[in-house]
Amino acid sequence: MGKFVCPLLHFTETAMLVSLFVCLYLLQIDKRHQSKDSIFFRDGVRRIDFVLSYVDDLNKEWEKKLERRKEFESNLQKAGLELETEDKKESEDGKIYFVKIHAPWEVLITYAEVLNIKVPIRENDIPPMVENPLDCVLLPFRLPEKVMHPEPDYFTAPFSKDKQELYLINDESTFFSPSMRNRIVNYILTRCPYGTEEGKKKFGIKRLLNNGTYTAAYPLHDCQYWKKASDPNCDSERFTLYMEWARFLRFYKEQPLDLIRKYYGEKIGIYFAWLGFYTEMLFLAAVVGLICFLYGLFTMDENMSSKEICDPSIGGEIIMCPLCDRDCDYWRLNTTCEPSQYSHLFDNVATLFFAIFMGIWVTLFLEFWKRRQARLKYEWDLVDFEEEQQQLQLRPEYEAKCTQKKRNPITQEMEPYLPLTSQAVRFCVSGATVLFWVSLIIASMIAVIVYRLAVYAAFASLMENTQSLQPISGLLTPQLATSVTASCLNFVIIMILNFFYERIATWITDMEIPRTHMEYENRLTMKMFLNEECDPAGCLIELTTQLTIVMAGKQIWGNIQEAIVPWICNWWGRRKARNNPENLYSRWEQDHDLQTFGALGLFYEYLEMVIQFGFITLFVASFPLAPLLALMNNILEIRVDSWKLTTQYRRPVAAKAHSIGVWQEILNGMAILSVVTNAFIVAFTSDMIPRLVYYYAYSENEDSPMSGYINNSLSVFLISDFPERNEPRENPESFVICRYRDYRYPPDHEKRYLHTMQFWHILAAKLAFIIIMEHVVFIVKFFVAWMIPDVPADVKAKIKREKYLTQKILHEYELEKLKERLCQGDKQATEKEFIATEGRMELSRAM
C-alpha cells in the first residue's frame, strides 16, 4: 500500500478534528499493512547489521541496567553507529525492546582498515583450471554455477581509506557483504565501554549479556528460509542455502562452499569444507572395509576353528572350566558355536590387511586435506591471513582483567599483560582440575571392568535357570550379555561425565585468561578432547560390540541434541506467533525466537567428528564396518548441520579462519597413535598370531594344517585341584578334568600349570608383529607424506601470479597519483620519488 497523504481541511474546527481522526486511523491501517519482515530501518534504506534485545524486568537491578544501556548505546552512537529502537508495544509478546544497529559507510571503511579486510581491486584474469574429463560423469552431483560461485573472482587487497578510488566500489551499500558488516559491528560491540563499576572500567556486549542488561545480540538472516524475500534489494541467500544445501534430498549434491563462506564467514565455511572432504575420503575406506567384512562372511564356513568348535565329536566332547567361582557350571565348547562363527567376520586375515590399509589411508586423508585447504586459502583470499593478525586482537576479557601493562615488541604500544606468577598459579589450578577429571574417568573405566566381573555370574545363572531364554541361548551368551550391558553402562557414564566436564573445562579456561581468541579455543579444545575417550576392553568380538554401541550411541545422541532439541524449542517459542499476520511478525523477532549458535557451537561440531575419526582409526582393526557406519552418519550429519544452521539457529557472527586450527595437530597425533593401537589389537585381541604360530610351527597334519588347533590352544585342569572356596557348587556329570584357554603344562607334568614353550613363542611372535607392522606402516606413511606436497603446484603459481599482479596494480596507482601531484605542482612529489616508484615497479616485475 502506498504512503497515505492526509488532505488539509480549512472549513471548521469540527471538520478539522474529523479530518485529524481519519488521518490517524488511515495511518494506522497503512502501518499495519507494511510488512515488518524486512532487514532495513524504517526508512527502507539503511540496512540492519545487528540487533540487541532487552526486557523491562522491574527488579532491584532495573535502574542499574537502564543506566548501562543508556551509556552503552550512547557510546555506540559516538563510535558512529546508528540506532533505531522498536518499542515493546510493537513486539509480538509486548515485552521485548529491539535496538536495531546500522553501520554507515564511514564506520565500515574505518574498521575495514583496522581489521585488514580484503576487498576487490580488479576482476581475476587468471585462466581457470583445465576441465576434468570426469566432469560429465559428475554432472548429476553438481550444483548450478550461480549457486557454487555467487560472486566473480577478484584480485583483492587490504582496504585503505586513502585509496578508495583503487577499489571496485560500484555501490557503497553493497560493497561490504552482510557477513563483513556484522563482523565489523560485532568488533565494535565487544569493545564498547558502558561505565565504571566498583572502580573498574566495564565494556563489551558479552558482559552485558551475562548480567542480563541485554537478552540477545545477533545479526539478521536475510529472509525466511522457505521463501525468497519480497524486497528486491535482498539476495535471499538463506533461501538458496536451504533449497540447494540444507535439505536431505540434496544429500548427493556437492556443497556450495563459496556461498556458505559468503553468508556465514570463512570459519564456518572451512568446517563444512573439511567435513565434506572427510566424508568423501571415507567412501574409499568404507568400500575396502566392506570388502574385508564380506571376505569374512564368505569364508565363514571354511574356518577350521569354528568347524572344530561346532563339531559334536570335538567341541561337544570338550568340557570347559566354569567362567566364575561357585555359581557358574561346567559347559561344553560347542555351546559357543555361533559366536565363534560370527567372530570370524572380524577376526580373519583381512583384518591385518585392513589395519595396514587404514594406517596409509589416514596419511592420505591428512595430506590431501592440506592440499584442499591450501586451495581454499587461495580461493578465499586467506593466503596472507597470518595468525599474527589475530594475535594483535586481544580478547576483551583479557584487556579487562589484566590491569598491568607492558610494551608490545611488535606494535611498540603499551598493552595489558598477565604476570608470570599469576599465570603459573592459574595453570597449576587448571592442571590439577584436568588431572582430577582424568583420574575420575579412569576410575569409571575400572568400575565398568568390575561390573563385567561381578555380573557375569548373575547372567550365567539367569540364562541357565530361565526357560524363556533357552531358545536364544545360542545367540545371547553370558559373555555377550555382559559385554552389551557394560557397553551401554560405559556410554551412559561417558555422556554424564562429558556433560559436567564441558562446564568445568570452560570455567578453568576462562580462569586462565587466554590472551587471544585463538589461544582460548586451542586451550579449550585440548582440555575437552583429552577427556573424550573410552576403554574398549575384552576380546575382539566384545571390543567390536562395545565400539558399535558407543559409536552408534554417541552419533544418535549427538543428532538428537543438535537437531531435535532446537526444533522443539523453536516450535514452542513460535507457537503464539502463528496467530498473527506474517507481515506483523518482524524479521528481528523471527530471528530472536531461534536458538543461539554460540561462540563454541563450531567447537562441538569439530569435537563430534574428531571423536568419530578416533573410533574409525584407533580401533578399526576390531570393526572393519566402522568407516561405512561413519560414512552413512556423515552424509546425514552434513545435512543435519546445514539444516539446523539455516533454519533453527540465529545467524552466527562471521569470523575468519584459514585452517581447522589445533584440530589438525590432534588428527596428526591420532594418525600416529592409530598405527600402535591397531597393531596391539591385532596382536593381543585377535586370534591371528596364535593361529599362524600353530600353522608354521606346531601343526602335525600336512593335508589340513589348522586341524587340531582348538585342542592345542586349550590347557587341561584337574577339577580336584580347585580350592574349596572356588569350586563350583555342582558337578552332576562327575567331570574329572576341564579345559581352559591358555598354553600351560597339564597337571601330570613336572612343570604343572606353568607356561609352555609355545606360549613364549606366541608372545615373541606378537611382539615381533607389533614392531614389524609399526615400522612398515610408519615408513610407508612418511614416504607418502613426503611424496605429496602440501600446496598444489598450480595453486603456488596462481598465488605468485596474483601477488605480482596485485603489486603491479598498486604501484601503477601510486605512480598515477604521483603524476597528478607533479602536474598540480606539488613540491613534495619530487622527481626522485617518481623515479623510485618506477624503479620499485621494475624490481617487482623482475622478482
Side-chain angles (χ1 to χ4, degrees), residues 452-483:
R452 292 168 62 94
L453 298 174
V455 303
Y456 180 84
F459 277 119
S461 176
L462 177 66
M463 293 180 180
E464 181 179 353
N465 299 324
T466 305
Q467 295 297 323
S468 59
L469 295 177
Q470 291 300 322
I472 60 170
S473 59
L475 294 174
L476 187 62
T477 62
Q479 296 97 320
L480 183 59
T482 303
S483 181

Side-chain angles (χ1 to χ4, degrees), residues 458-727:
F459 277 119
S461 176
L462 177 66
M463 293 180 180
E464 181 179 353
N465 299 324
T466 305
Q467 295 297 323
S468 59
L469 295 177
Q470 291 300 322
I472 60 170
S473 59
L475 294 174
L476 187 62
T477 62
Q479 296 97 320
L480 183 59
T482 303
S483 181
V484 170
T485 55
S487 302
C488 294
L489 178 63
N490 199 14
F491 169 70
V492 172
I493 291 175
I494 289 172
M495 292 296 102
I496 294 174
L497 289 179
N498 284 352
F499 175 80
F500 289 106
Y501 184 73
E502 284 175 7
R503 286 147 183 80
I504 296 294
T506 303
W507 175 76
I508 59 179
T509 306
D510 288 337
M511 181 196 64
E512 293 173 4
I513 318 180
R515 186 172 180 270
T516 65
H517 291 287
M518 184 182 65
E519 285 182 13
Y520 182 90
E521 290 184 1
N522 289 350
R523 291 184 189 181
L524 182 60
T525 297
M526 295 305 297
K527 291 183 182 69
M528 292 293 295
F529 185 76
L530 189 64
N531 288 271
E532 279 285 347
E533 296 298 335
C534 61
D535 175 56
C539 65
L540 193 63
I541 188 65
E542 291 183 345
L543 176 57
T544 301
T545 303
Q546 194 161 28
L547 283 176
T548 305
I549 292 174
V550 174
M551 183 177 174
K554 289 178 79 73
Q555 299 296 344
I556 293 170
W557 179 253
N559 286 328
I560 290 174
Q561 282 185 312
E562 292 177 8
I564 298 178
V565 172
W567 179 80
I568 293 174
C569 293
N570 290 337
W571 171 81
W572 183 259
R574 292 195 301 261
R575 66 194 188 284
K576 293 181 180 178
R578 294 197 194 95
N579 300 323
N580 293 336
E582 187 175 288
N583 62 336
L584 297 182
Y585 190 30
S586 64
R587 162 75 13 229
W588 45 92
E589 287 180 276
Q590 293 175 42
D591 286 10
H592 181 270
D593 290 339
L594 298 176
Q595 300 299 299
T596 304
F597 189 65
L600 296 178
L602 209 56
F603 164 80
Y604 293 115
E605 302 298 338
Y606 273 117
L607 184 64
E608 179 186 1
M609 287 296 101
V610 171
I611 291 170
Q612 182 204 85
F613 180 84
F615 275 121
I616 69 165
T617 55
L618 296 177
F619 311 113
V620 73
S622 66
F623 190 34
L625 291 180
L628 179 62
L629 294 181
L631 174 64
M632 293 188 294
N633 174 82
N634 287 9
I635 291 173
L636 177 64
E637 182 74 23
I638 291 174
R639 304 305 157 177
V640 168
D641 286 351
S642 58
W643 174 80
K644 73 179 184 184
L645 198 61
T646 307
T647 67
Q648 303 300 309
Y649 284 89
R650 296 171 187 160
R651 185 175 186 171
V653 177
K656 297 195 76 170
H658 74 303
S659 69
I660 61 175
V662 73
W663 296 108
Q664 184 78 38
E665 302 305 319
I666 291 175
L667 293 174
N668 289 334
M670 293 173 68
I672 295 173
L673 185 60
S674 67
V675 178
V676 180
T677 57
N678 283 300
F680 273 89
I681 287 173
V682 172
F684 287 100
T685 67
S686 166
D687 210 26
M688 182 181 302
I689 305 300
R691 287 200 297 263
L692 290 174
V693 171
Y694 177 81
Y695 183 91
Y696 289 106
Y698 291 91
S699 176
E700 298 176 354
N701 189 334
E702 294 182 359
D703 297 331
S704 180
M706 288 307 296
S707 62
Y709 169 72
I710 292 299
N711 187 62
N712 175 267
S713 65
L714 298 175
S715 298
V716 178
F717 185 80
L718 190 63
I719 291 176
S720 60
D721 288 342
F722 268 122
E724 186 177 350
R725 65 177 183 277
N726 304 121
E727 187 177 2

Side-chain angles (χ1 to χ4, degrees), residues 173-284:
S173 63
T174 59
F175 180 68
F176 292 103
S177 68
S179 60
M180 289 181 184
R181 298 174 70 101
N182 72 57
R183 182 178 164 220
I184 290 172
V185 174
N186 183 68
Y187 181 85
I188 299 172
L189 290 173
T190 55
R191 286 159 175 78
C192 183
Y194 61 85
T196 304
E197 297 178 6
E198 300 176 356
K200 295 182 179 179
K201 189 177 180 181
K202 303 291 184 181
F203 56 87
I205 187 62
K206 183 177 179 180
R207 190 182 294 270
L208 291 173
L209 291 170
N210 291 338
N211 61 33
T213 303
Y214 290 99
T215 57
Y218 52 93
L220 290 180
H221 283 294
D222 61 358
C223 67
Q224 295 169 330
Y225 69 86
W226 63 87
K227 69 174 185 178
K228 289 186 176 182
S230 56
D231 193 329
N233 295 321
C234 180
D235 293 332
S236 298
E237 291 173 344
R238 185 191 188 193
F239 169 77
T240 304
L241 285 170
Y242 173 72
M243 296 299 295
E244 302 290 348
W245 177 52
R247 295 189 301 164
F248 182 72
L249 293 178
R250 314 290 284 179
F251 73 92
Y252 62 94
K253 292 286 189 179
E254 61 184 336
Q255 297 187 86
L257 294 177
D258 287 350
L259 185 58
I260 297 169
R261 171 242 184 174
K262 181 186 176 187
Y263 192 75
Y264 291 115
E266 288 81 0
K267 194 170 186 178
I268 289 179
I270 205 85
Y271 163 72
F272 280 103
W274 175 81
L275 179 56
F277 183 80
Y278 171 44
T279 304
E280 292 171 9
M281 289 293 292
L282 274 176
F283 181 78
L284 176 61

Side-chain angles (χ1 to χ4, degrees), residues 319-321 330 716-719 734-739 747:
I319 308 302
M320 300 297 294
C321 297
Y330 300 96
V716 178
F717 185 80
L718 190 63
I719 291 176
S734 301
F735 297 123
V736 177
I737 62 170
C738 62
R739 309 293 293 274

